[in-house]
Amino acid sequence: NELAWEKCDEAILINTNHIDEAITAVSYANELDIPLFFTQHGEISSDVWTRIKKLGVEKVYLVGGIKSISKSVERAIQRTGAETIRITEKEGSDISIRFAESLYKIRKFDTVALAVGEEFGYAEGVSMAIAASRDNIPVITLNESDILETVEFLKEKNIKKTYIIGDNNKIS
């Protein structure tokens, strides 16, 4: 099972239990042309280790706090000589908005997809993430607690078109 890359300086690492974070990282990874790997909280599989080493990854974005990816995993990556950068929710800032903001700094866009509601939105968001990344559309996960921040982002970036994935009854 070969990777699309022979060499890649950067990679994204996400906990397998956090599908919402993976959905939002796909467009960013696609834009930077970097791989996105999955891990458990306290260990990286030997397959992922092999791929990271084979690619010569020098910087790994760890998505989530230490409850998502442990400090021991972070230290193990650092021992390989790679730099680690954590992308976490900060007070008042959802990870999906942080990815969309980072993507906007690289390339302006006027369309987004909103994966609404954990039960259906995330499952459907997985299907949408690949198509969205191909069309340079970020996917933002939306829960009731994120509505104001998301609306602010949409207004600030002058977003003209929004695709809603999942339970649109949660949006009024």
Side-chain angles (χ1 to χ4, degrees), residues 20-171:
D20 56 325
E21 294 170 355
I23 293 167
T24 64
V26 170
S27 290
Y28 186 75
N30 185 60
E31 180 67 28
L32 295 180
D33 193 26
I34 62 175
L36 192 151
F37 296 112
F38 291 94
T39 187
Q40 297 296 317
H41 167 260
E43 65 180 326
I44 299 177
S45 73
S46 61
D47 184 48
V48 171
W49 267 124
T50 300
R51 290 171 186 234
I52 286 174
K53 290 176 184 174
K54 184 176 181 179
L55 290 172
V57 172
E58 297 171 7
K59 183 187 297 182
V60 179
Y61 297 96
L62 306 174
V63 180
I66 58 174
K67 290 182 179 178
S68 293
I69 300 174
S70 70
K71 285 296 277 180
S72 63
V73 167
E74 183 175 12
R75 283 191 297 271
I77 292 168
Q78 290 168 341
R79 281 194 295 273
T80 69
E83 175 186 4
T84 58
I85 297 174
R86 275 199 190 266
I87 300 173
T88 60
E89 290 184 1
K90 294 196 174 174
E91 193 171 319
S93 181
D94 177 72
I95 285 179
S96 65
I97 295 291
R98 296 203 56 212
F99 271 118
E101 286 277 4
S102 296
L103 188 58
Y104 196 84
K105 288 176 185 173
I106 297 168
R107 178 196 37 78
K108 307 295 186 250
F109 51 82
D110 64 0
T111 303
V112 300
L114 298 178
V116 182
E118 294 178 34
E119 186 176 349
F120 300 110
Y122 294 173
E124 293 173 8
V126 170
S127 300
M128 177 65 170
I130 300 300
S133 71
R134 188 179 53 239
D135 293 335
N136 299 316
I137 298 171
V139 178
I140 297 172
T141 56
L142 183 62
N143 297 305
E144 289 180 33
S145 63
D146 303 326
I147 291 175
L148 291 177
E149 179 187 12
T150 302
V151 168
E152 185 177 302
F153 174 83
L154 298 176
K155 285 180 180 178
E156 182 182 296
K157 303 303 184 208
N158 196 27
I159 301 302
K160 293 177 177 45
K161 189 172 190 177
T162 305
Y163 295 99
I164 298 174
I165 310 155
D167 187 0
N168 62 356
N169 291 324
K170 299 239 182 209
I171 300 177

